[in-house]
Amino acid sequence: MLRIGLTGGMGAGKSTVARMLVERGAVLVDSDAIAREVVEPGTEGLAALVEAFGPEILAQDGSLDRPALAAKAFASDEARTTLNSITHPLVGRRTVELIAAAPADSIVVQDVPLLVENGLGAMMHLVLVVMADVETRVRRLGEFRGIARDDALARIRAQATDEQRRAMADVLLDNDGSPEDLEPQVRALWEERLAPFEQNLRTRSWPPRGPIHVAEPNPEWAAQAQRLIARIGLVCGGAALRIAHIGSTAVPGFPAKDVIDLQLTVADLETADRLRDPLEQAGFPRIEHITTDDGKAGTDIALWEKRIHAAADPGRPVNLHVRVDGSPGQVFALAFRDWLRAVPEAREDYLAVKRKAEAAAAGLSDPRAIEAYLEVKTPWFDEVYPRVLAWADRSR
């Protein structure tokens, strides 16, 4: 199933977005609701809290008196650790139960207020962040929750900053306006990205890339790559010797096709094959028909074998190259990226080749467009291969 993390600051409008997604068929897993559920009267959670903090944290009806608990639990770091050690495992267990109970073809939206603060983005296929101006949020907190301005500002400042949220966001939703302004954003997100992503994930397929186009540099490419690297690293664990952003989008300020190229370095191809299923579940289905790079003269062609995965997400094209540590392709990918970063003349030459290849592919559809593009680029790569390796040797 597709797991979506939904977050945003107080008053930003997460609940409104969650409601709109549920109306379209999403399964909502609300962390705040779960946190309340696991300490209801009669639960093991409430019993554990009473044992740890005393019966004074109970209201007259036997329910949890939250202000009384807060007065004790936030009095010291030790007390806060005790609180978290009781509630966090219960919330985690209940979350797992709810997700497991959802249908296999679900789009599960996890509403997690502290997703950014707790670094949970890598666990999700996508992170949606609802954004609104601070003054808008303060007004809403006063209007709908009765929270005084100074209190609202203090609570907002205690949370993650907007910059921290943007760094973790795959999708930003602007909610400075009314629900009527927000609804078209959510509708387009569902129809154009979330629903196709879920289908691709379930069928282990990837969307068509469209025409080949060399785009102007996007300053977001580096941050996008880091979010992807975090997700891949989580599912691969120690089998990933290194995960690196490679290719043209890894070169700051350099025009490129809007495709993030990543390299996952593994010990051997057997490891690459064992990682196939977890990578596909994480949203990177394997491309079966590509099993090797183009070998270069003077090398053992067999050593250029690799595996490659693509992104199931229609909103972010990705090529994930899985190569063996020390193999010619693995070494060259890193050296070529670093060469482009360091040598202006190399960037100029490569951009000219890319523009020529783009023109050769114009008006063609896959797979002929890709063939035409590569027919121009491949001879150039063959020519610069020894130069790049020589430069890398000198740069060590």
Side-chain angles (χ1 to χ4, degrees):
M1 61 186 67
L2 185 67
R3 292 180 63 180
I4 304 298
L6 173 64
T7 195
M10 290 184 65
K14 294 190 315 305
S15 298
T16 302
V17 173
R19 173 181 55 78
M20 292 177 177
L21 292 171
V22 168
E23 288 171 353
R24 286 166 171 79
V27 174
L28 178 63
V29 177
D30 187 332
S31 294
D32 278 347
I34 295 171
R36 292 190 295 270
E37 176 188 334
V38 299
V39 293
E40 288 178 348
T43 62
E44 63 174 297
L46 184 57
L49 290 177
V50 171
E51 182 177 354
F53 296 102
E56 300 84 5
I57 66 169
L58 294 177
Q60 289 186 350
D61 63 358
S63 64
L64 180 64
D65 184 335
R66 293 183 178 276
L69 173 63
K72 290 195 169 192
F74 294 99
S76 68
D77 289 343
E78 182 181 1
R80 184 163 51 251
T81 299
T82 299
L83 171 66
N84 291 340
S85 69
I86 293 170
T87 58
H88 286 186
L90 295 172
V91 171
R93 186 173 73 195
R94 183 59 177 149
T95 299
V96 170
E97 291 172 354
L98 291 172
I99 293 173
D105 61 350
S106 296
I107 297 175
V108 175
V109 175
Q110 293 181 242
D111 184 341
V112 187
L114 299 181
L115 183 147
V116 173
E117 290 85 342
N118 291 331
L120 303 177
M123 299 174 62
M124 312 295 173
H125 290 102
L126 284 178
V127 172
L128 314 184
V129 175
V130 187
M131 300 292 289
D133 181 76
V134 169
E135 286 301 320
T136 300
R137 294 160 60 191
V138 168
R139 176 180 56 77
R140 288 173 182 161
L141 291 172
E143 182 177 347
F144 299 114
R145 299 196 206 176
I147 300 175
R149 176 180 178 82
D150 288 346
D151 189 12
L153 286 170
R155 296 191 192 191
I156 288 171
R157 293 188 187 111
Q159 295 184 322
T161 65
D162 286 349
E163 290 72 23
Q164 289 170 323
R165 292 194 182 95
R166 288 190 183 96
M168 194 169 283
D170 298 290
V171 177
L172 288 170
L173 295 171
D174 179 3
N175 192 27
D176 261 330
S178 68
E180 290 73 24
D181 298 321
L182 182 63
E183 200 278 337
Q185 297 180 64
V186 176
R187 181 178 66 247
L189 172 66
W190 181 271
E191 294 176 355
E192 298 171 14
R193 191 163 187 179
L194 300 189
F197 194 171
E198 185 284 319
Q199 182 178 13
N200 292 337
L201 184 67
R202 176 163 34 90
T203 59
R204 304 201 174 196
S205 55
W206 58 92
R209 293 283 173 85
I212 290 177
H213 170 62
V214 177
E216 290 305 304
N218 183 347
E220 294 298 317
W221 281 334
Q224 291 169 358
Q226 289 309 306
R227 289 194 294 271
L228 293 161
I229 287 171
R231 291 184 179 120
I232 294 165
L234 185 64
V235 300
C236 293
L241 302 182
R242 179 176 181 180
I243 309 170
H245 186 192
I246 60 170
S248 296
T249 58
V251 181
F254 192 52
K257 290 186 297 177
D258 188 20
V259 179
I260 301 292
D261 280 281
L262 302 173
Q263 178 168 267
L264 168 59
T265 298
V266 295
D268 47 51
L269 289 174
E270 289 76 15
T271 301
D273 290 333
R274 285 198 302 272
L275 290 174
R276 174 175 182 163
D277 187 62
L279 286 172
E280 291 191 333
Q281 290 187 41
F284 302 95
R286 176 170 296 180
I287 301 176
E288 293 278 8
H289 65 278
I290 301 178
T291 59
T292 185
D293 290 309
D294 290 324
K296 302 298 184 242
T299 65
D300 183 349
I301 301 301
L303 295 178
W304 292 81
E305 190 175 356
K306 70 173 181 179
R307 304 291 182 261
I308 186 167
H309 297 247
D313 176 10
R316 171 28 64 208
V318 178
N319 293 327
L320 175 61
H321 308 263
V322 188
R323 296 185 174 107
V324 174
D325 191 24
S327 66
Q330 188 264 351
V331 171
F332 179 65
L334 297 172
F336 181 71
R337 177 201 64 188
D338 295 343
W339 181 60
L340 289 179
R341 287 175 174 177
V343 182
E345 295 81 4
R347 294 194 296 274
E348 293 174 7
D349 290 348
Y350 188 32
L351 182 57
V353 171
K354 285 154 66 91
R355 296 294 190 198
K356 183 178 178 181
E358 177 187 32
L364 302 176
S365 57
D366 287 346
R368 185 66 192 104
I370 296 175
E371 293 172 357
Y373 189 76
L374 293 178
E375 283 174 3
V376 174
K377 288 181 61 177
T378 299
W380 184 80
F381 273 99
D382 292 340
E383 176 191 343
V384 301
Y385 177 71
R387 290 164 47 196
V388 171
L389 296 187
W391 174 88
D393 284 338
R394 293 194 303 271
S395 301
R396 287 196 182 102

